[in-house]
Amino acid sequence: MSTSRTGTATWLRHAAQAKREAQARGLARCPLCGVWMDYEVGKRPNSAEADHIRPHSLGGSDDIDNIRVICRRCNQSRGNGLKRPGRQRQRPIKRIELAKPARSGAFPAPPA
Ligand SMILES: [Zn+2]
């Protein structure tokens, strides 16, 4: 079964390496959308992030040759093309006391 691999030491090491190499190569713009990428600050829409070229779900590996650097926004919108199996939050269902229906004939007769 496939689990999230983006937290493994291998991935993190290779992701950092890919970003260093991309920066050293002079990859300043996101190859997908062309935005100027920020290598220094994370969690921004234009932050440089490592991405699996071939997604894990399709058998892609964490190897450095399967990693490219794109901006965070592209990385997030791509999402392997698959919906992440996020944990579903379950809300407790409120128990609603059903109002007792008025018995037929309980209504006053309409004025004559
Ligand atoms: Zn982009």
Side-chain angles (χ1 to χ4, degrees), residues 35-93:
V35 75
W36 290 97
M37 292 192 294
D38 190 338
Y39 283 90
E40 308 301 326
V41 185
K43 312 288 184 197
R44 285 188 178 169
N46 67 330
S47 295
E49 290 194 345
D51 177 47
H52 287 99
I53 297 169
R54 185 176 173 83
H56 258 292
S57 55
L58 298 177
S61 73
D62 285 344
D63 290 342
I64 191 73
D65 58 4
N66 189 42
I67 300 173
R68 64 177 171 178
V69 175
I70 59 177
C71 77
R72 177 178 172 82
R73 189 167 53 182
C74 285
N75 192 15
Q76 290 192 325
S77 66
R78 220 171 74 93
N80 292 0
L82 298 168
K83 270 198 170 179
R84 288 187 187 179
R87 206 188 295 175
Q88 301 220 347
R89 191 179 284 183
Q90 296 224 338
R91 267 193 299 181
I93 297 169

